[in-house]
Amino acid sequence: MKITSIAGIVVGIGALLFLLFIASISRHTTAKQQSSASDRHTQVVATVGTRPITLTEVEQTVALSLYQLEEQRTKLLRESTQHLIEEELLAAEAARVGVTVSDLIERAGESETVAKLAGFPGPIRLTGKSSPFPFVSEEMLRVRRALLVQLRRKAEIHVSLSQPELPVLDVSPDDDPWTGTAHAPVTIIEFSHFECPYCKNSVPVLKALLAKYPGKLKLVYRDFPGPNHHQALPAAVAAQCAAEQGRFWDYHDALFTRQAPTTRWNYSSLAKDLGLHQPPFDACLKDNRYRDEVLKDLQDGLKVGVTSTPTFFINGRPLIGARPLADYQEIIDRLLAPSASS
């Protein structure tokens, strides 16, 4: 009995020492990872005279571009995953029935259920309509899609591809025009210009957001006049002149409302229609008073990687292009969640 007891104690001590060894390795690995992350932040990749340029600085300037590339990669992976899922579903069903995939699709066209899913009034015979890819008949493609809908409903499919993590960029609101709540928990900084049709399409979406989150949002407008849009710069200057009289957003809306690809705005006439005090507005316009301010916005946008309009930063998180309301909500709701830290 004593020998058994002593053996048990030895085994117990051995197990304890093993656990302590594993814990030690884990702590060492964590410390090493933290040290490695710290080293990356301070790693010098270039020097100009005595001025060091760190890897963090470089990554910050291209963070938006890298994120866009990662988005494209994820999109390709997702499309490829869906393609492989479809091929597997068709192959598995064809094997179960004991036919080829082509025969399976041809037979599916004769099914009342599949034909209806494909939008046909009734069953359809595909024999003789099929031919090697890419010369596939429209009818066969429709039946194939409908058959896949049916097969997906029966199958257990789990896709675990994750979205790329949104970078958080340091984007200044500068002293640009804003609307909403001054000290809102969420700030949306928009880089835009008045000749951009996608920016125009974003206006009602942004207004809907402000209405949906009262007291929670601050929207800042920053100019990003594209070089191929010759009226974008003077229109931005005119809007800033309207801002002198506290009417930026009225002028902003009017410019977008009267946006037309073949006509030019009459900035002075537009100010008159809005009831602005004409002499100071015209003087501001004549002096080109805010040209440097507008170009500073453009440079600031380029520094954080903006290449197209509209580009939005929601507490530093990028959203590019004219997006539906739900895309903004997904980010905003996450930021407003009790556990979120912006």
Side-chain angles (χ1 to χ4, degrees):
M1 290 295 290
K2 286 183 179 179
I3 294 172
T4 305
S5 176
I6 291 169
I9 291 169
V10 170
V11 170
I13 291 172
L16 179 60
L17 288 172
F18 178 74
L19 289 173
L20 288 171
F21 174 69
I22 294 297
S24 174
I25 291 175
S26 176
R27 284 197 300 272
H28 177 71
T29 302
T30 303
K32 190 173 180 181
Q33 288 173 341
Q34 290 172 345
S35 175
S36 176
S38 177
D39 290 345
R40 279 181 62 80
H41 289 150
T42 57
Q43 181 183 343
V44 175
V45 294
T47 56
V48 180
T50 58
R51 194 317 204 176
I53 297 172
T54 66
L55 182 59
T56 299
E57 288 179 87
V58 176
E59 287 178 335
Q60 182 75 6
T61 59
V62 294
L64 184 55
S65 299
L66 291 175
Y67 169 68
Q68 289 175 279
L69 288 172
E70 187 61 26
E71 262 195 325
Q72 290 176 20
R73 176 180 176 274
T74 302
K75 182 183 176 184
L76 288 172
L77 288 173
R78 188 175 291 110
E79 289 172 355
S80 182
T81 300
Q82 292 304 323
H83 173 72
L84 290 173
I85 288 171
E86 290 176 359
E87 293 298 310
E88 180 60 29
L89 287 171
L90 292 171
E93 182 65 11
R96 187 185 71 81
V97 178
V99 298
T100 65
V101 171
S102 295
D103 289 339
L104 178 73
I105 295 171
E106 286 183 5
R107 289 187 182 189
E110 298 172 13
S111 159
E112 187 83 32
T113 305
V114 174
K116 284 185 178 180
L117 279 171
F120 294 114
I124 179 173
R125 287 187 62 82
L126 293 172
T127 307
K129 292 178 182 274
S130 62
S131 55
F133 182 84
F135 306 104
V136 180
S137 70
E138 175 61 28
E139 292 93 339
M140 179 168 277
L141 287 173
R142 287 169 63 182
V143 169
R144 183 181 184 275
R145 285 194 292 265
L147 175 59
L148 282 165
V149 168
Q150 190 180 63
L151 294 176
R152 280 177 178 275
R153 288 173 180 172
K154 299 175 183 176
E156 283 190 24
I157 300 170
H158 302 285
V159 179
S160 55
L161 269 177
S162 58
Q163 277 287 101
E165 188 176 343
L166 282 169
V168 181
L169 304 179
D170 184 14
V171 185
S172 169
D174 204 31
D175 57 351
D176 285 297
W178 62 273
T179 186
T181 303
H183 301 291
V186 176
T187 296
I188 302 174
I189 298 175
E190 173 188 11
F191 283 89
S192 175
H193 73 80
F194 294 107
E195 278 194 286
C196 164
Y198 305 106
C199 303
K200 178 181 179 178
N201 293 342
S202 297
V203 171
V205 178
L206 294 169
K207 288 186 176 182
L209 275 176
L210 289 165
K212 186 172 181 62
Y213 296 94
K216 301 292 178 65
L217 301 183
K218 178 181 181 181
L219 172 63
V220 180
Y221 184 94
R222 300 204 65 180
D223 296 296
F224 196 84
N228 299 323
H229 300 272
H230 304 299
Q231 292 302 303
L233 179 56
V237 171
Q240 293 293 339
C241 289
E244 281 192 344
Q245 301 183 40
R247 302 291 299 280
F248 172 82
W249 292 102
D250 293 331
Y251 205 89
H252 161 284
D253 289 354
L255 284 169
F256 277 127
T257 300
R258 302 188 191 189
Q259 183 191 86
T262 57
T263 59
R264 299 173 64 172
W265 293 285
N266 184 323
Y267 304 113
S268 184
S269 175
L270 187 57
K272 184 178 180 181
D273 291 347
L274 291 173
L276 271 67
H277 192 33
Q278 206 69 33
F281 179 86
D282 289 342
C284 175
L285 209 57
K286 185 179 178 182
D287 294 344
N288 219 359
R289 191 172 299 164
Y290 291 97
R291 184 176 184 276
D292 289 345
E293 168 68 23
V294 170
L295 293 178
K296 180 183 179 298
D297 278 4
L298 175 64
Q299 289 303 315
D300 286 352
L302 290 171
K303 283 178 185 176
V304 292
V306 176
T307 57
S308 62
T309 53
T311 294
F312 304 91
F313 295 93
I314 306 175
N315 279 13
R317 294 150 181 83
L319 194 63
I320 302 164
R323 301 291 194 100
L325 189 74
D327 286 5
Y328 296 88
Q329 284 182 263
E330 184 181 347
I331 300 174
I332 292 168
D333 288 346
R334 220 181 309 144
L335 291 169
L336 292 176
S339 60
S341 60
S342 58

